[in-house]
Amino acid sequence: MTLSELSLQDLHNQFKSKQLSVTELMEHYFGAIAKYDDRVGAYLTLNEEGAKAQAAKLDAKLASGADQGLLFGLPVGIKDNMVTEGLRTTCASQFLSNYDPIYDATVVSKLKQADTVTLGKLNMDEFAMGGSNENSSFHPVRNPWDLTRVPGGSSGGSAAAVAAGEAYFTLGSDTGGSIRQPASYCGVVGLKPTYGLVSRYGLVAFASSLDQIGPITRNVEDAAYVLQAIAGYDEKDSTSAKVDIPDYRSALTGDIKGLKIAVPKEYLDGVDPTVKQAVLDALSVLEGLGAVWEEVSLPHTEYAVAAYYLLASSEASSNLSRFDGVRYGVRVDNNGSLLDLYHDSRSKGFGPEVKRRIMLGTYALSSGYYDAYYLKAQKVRTLIKRDFDQTFEKYDVIIGPTAPTTAFALGSQVDDPLTMYLNDILTIPVSLAGVPALSIPCGLAEGLPIGLQIIGKSFDESTVLKVAHAFEVHTDHHKHRPSL
């Protein structure tokens, strides 16, 4: 068994018995990055000097006999839209290709307090806009299961790094499915927490009412440990929720007898037959553990994609207006007016997908179209949330596929944005409702992973984790690894 296959508890035991040092574990992961990442492309910036210094500090802490926290010594990769003090943060955009932050995002600070080791910053779709990780302005990420296929997006680098053994766990961000869909495509566990549970302070904003940070891990237990470390109220984030944080680990009992599961018929219509069968098989496993499931309807699901892209693009138009070439980022020198400076800097700095969404959002917010588009989309969002609220009055969780297909081929949809957008049709409604959801591997189709999506009530991550863990304990889908 290699170091990357050891459980968190096994690593803790080896640290305590001095069979393993944090430096050795860190070097193992940098070795994997050196071996695989020229093909996978998961990383944009490596933190070798900083990681080496942090590992030495933690080894000294071990030698002193100090207590180990839950995540002590674990090597982590951070999606490149979370600011890291002194470590370049680009959002995979040419606009921020020279940006070195002077502070840490709250989640990064919390991981440092938990004694993790930051390996580097992970590739993504530019400003988190995309579903395939082909929109990075530096280079695409490839799926470790099949290097001719996409890893999903926008957190494709975060999911691919875990799948390829290039990080013990990673952080991603999810706006319309950008943690869950890559987790599904790459055969790992991805958790989008309830909106407001994890601080967004230091996350470069795409759509502020939707963005949420969450973990991508190899198994459910690790996801619970990471969530325990990063969840909680943050006064620096005006959308942070003041809620009690339970012990998520205590939910991993494996007991789901009597649990009521809703399966939306809309989530099974039109999906690949192999994906549908894998979900039905997973429901049979849960049924065998004492849960019961029924088919339900979430009638406004069909409007989710249209509403999401109007709302997310409108918020992007507003959020990205700060990138003007004056305060930070790319600045194109010219002898023209201030407007020429804005135009030239933004034209050079932003890629085509970002420009597309800025234009769509600006149009939806413009005079004469606000009521017809943006306001109507907000009303539809309320109806979608109401669908979830009504379903959760009777059921404990909602379950369906994470994505309608397995990972598609690189380049096959890059010139067809509407088809690309539809890949998030099963994850977007969850984001609009602001509820938590987790993707867990539930099978393979022609050698490619299939993801099962488990959706819970607001701030009830414990139940989501309990169901996922029970399924994981009684299956071996999470043990499958790609062969690089």
Side-chain angles (χ1 to χ4, degrees):
M1 183 177 289
T2 66
L3 286 178
S4 57
E5 294 175 318
L6 292 177
S7 70
L8 190 150
Q9 189 59 55
D10 288 338
L11 289 173
H12 280 188
N13 291 339
Q14 291 206 15
F15 286 149
K16 285 181 179 178
S17 63
K18 296 185 170 52
Q19 293 176 270
L20 178 69
S21 69
V22 177
T23 297
E24 288 171 332
L25 184 62
M26 177 268 299
E27 289 175 345
H28 165 80
Y29 279 97
F30 275 120
I33 293 169
K35 186 175 182 180
Y36 302 127
D37 207 53
D38 60 336
R39 289 177 285 160
V40 176
Y43 282 88
L44 290 176
T45 304
L46 293 180
N47 182 41
E48 294 187 75
E49 289 302 315
K52 184 177 180 180
Q54 176 68 356
K57 177 182 174 183
L58 296 181
D59 282 333
K61 193 171 182 178
L62 270 179
S64 71
D67 292 337
Q68 299 174 28
L70 292 174
L71 306 180
F72 182 90
L74 297 186
V76 56
I78 307 293
K79 187 175 178 180
D80 204 27
N81 60 347
M82 301 171 207
V83 297
T84 43
E85 183 179 2
L87 185 60
R88 185 148 295 181
T89 300
T90 70
C91 290
S93 176
Q94 293 300 319
F95 212 114
L96 292 176
S97 59
N98 62 355
Y99 178 54
D100 297 320
I102 58 173
Y103 68 101
D104 282 325
T106 295
V107 288
V108 174
S109 295
K110 287 190 171 187
L111 288 183
K112 286 183 176 179
Q113 291 166 12
D115 288 332
T116 62
V117 178
T118 300
L119 298 173
K121 305 300 289 293
L122 294 159
N123 205 350
M124 55 184 282
D125 283 305
E126 184 180 4
F127 283 103
M129 298 181 191
S132 68
N133 224 142
E134 295 171 283
N135 292 329
S136 169
S137 70
F138 296 100
H139 54 78
V141 181
R142 298 176 180 272
N143 193 318
W145 290 83
D146 181 345
L147 296 173
T148 69
R149 295 182 182 260
V150 303
S154 63
S155 305
S158 299
V162 174
E166 296 181 25
Y168 187 87
F169 74 91
T170 61
L171 291 185
S173 66
D174 191 308
T175 307
S178 291
I179 287 174
R180 292 160 286 153
Q181 185 238 38
S184 175
Y185 285 177
C186 292
V188 292
V189 173
L191 172 63
K192 183 203 86 71
T194 306
Y195 182 81
L197 181 67
V198 176
S199 173
R200 294 187 302 110
Y201 180 74
L203 174 69
V204 179
F206 160 20
S208 302
S209 74
L210 296 159
D211 298 339
Q212 188 63 188
I213 296 169
I216 296 179
T217 60
R218 296 179 305 164
N219 56 58
V220 176
E221 184 179 26
D222 289 352
Y225 286 172
V226 178
L227 183 62
Q228 197 75 55
I230 65 174
Y233 174 71
D234 180 13
E235 63 181 10
K236 296 176 182 177
D237 175 8
S238 63
T239 61
S240 183
K242 289 185 177 181
V243 295
D244 293 331
I245 306 301
D247 181 359
Y248 295 115
R249 297 163 297 162
S250 66
L252 308 181
T253 63
D255 181 13
I256 58 169
K257 289 179 181 178
L259 187 97
K260 295 181 179 179
I261 300 171
V263 181
K265 63 181 182 180
E266 291 85 1
Y267 286 24
L268 295 178
D269 292 341
V271 304
D272 183 275
T274 309
V275 172
K276 181 177 180 179
Q277 188 57 52
V279 171
L280 294 174
D281 291 344
L283 289 168
S284 295
V285 172
L286 296 173
E287 202 171 26
L289 296 174
V292 294
W293 67 273
E294 295 176 354
E295 189 175 88
V296 300
S297 177
L298 299 178
H300 296 97
T301 298
E302 63 178 302
Y303 307 113
V305 173
Y308 168 83
Y309 278 99
L310 281 168
L311 295 173
S313 297
S314 296
E315 294 184 26
S317 172
S318 176
N319 280 324
L320 270 64
S321 64
R322 72 193 69 181
F323 299 100
D324 53 18
V326 176
R327 286 163 289 185
Y328 46 78
V330 169
R331 176 177 182 142
V332 175
D333 293 327
N334 63 51
N335 297 317
S337 67
L338 184 61
L339 288 178
D340 290 335
L341 171 64
Y342 291 166
H343 175 273
D344 292 349
S345 297
R346 291 164 69 83
S347 295
K348 180 180 179 182
F350 291 141
E353 181 61 27
V354 176
K355 292 175 183 175
R356 179 185 292 119
R357 298 198 193 193
I358 289 174
M359 289 190 291
L360 174 61
T362 303
Y363 180 83
L365 291 174
S366 62
S367 177
Y369 297 103
Y370 177 93
D371 289 348
Y373 295 106
Y374 181 78
L375 184 60
K376 185 172 288 186
Q378 288 284 27
K379 292 178 178 179
V380 171
R381 181 179 190 172
T382 299
L383 294 175
I384 290 169
K385 186 179 187 308
R386 191 174 299 165
D387 286 347
F388 281 96
D389 291 342
Q390 291 172 350
T391 301
F392 283 130
E393 289 175 2
K394 185 177 179 182
Y395 299 94
D396 298 301
V397 293
I398 298 171
I399 287 181
T402 307
T405 66
T406 55
F408 51 89
L410 284 157
S412 63
Q413 298 181 15
V414 71
D415 295 322
D416 186 358
L418 291 180
T419 300
M420 182 79 77
Y421 295 166
L422 288 172
N423 287 300
D424 293 333
I425 193 169
L426 302 176
T427 54
I428 280 173
V430 177
S431 296
L432 291 171
V435 294
L438 177 148
S439 179
I440 185 174
C442 69
L444 296 173
E446 298 182 352
L448 295 172
I450 299 170
L452 181 74
Q453 183 173 210
I454 303 170
I455 306 164
K457 303 173 186 177
S458 291
F459 301 108
D460 191 17
E461 280 76 5
S462 292
T463 300
V464 172
L465 290 163
K466 178 168 68 173
V467 176
H469 182 255
F471 176 75
E472 187 178 79
V473 167
H474 290 87
T475 59
D476 61 359
H477 303 301
H478 65 289
K479 295 180 182 178
H480 296 156
R481 295 284 181 267
S483 176
L484 281 166

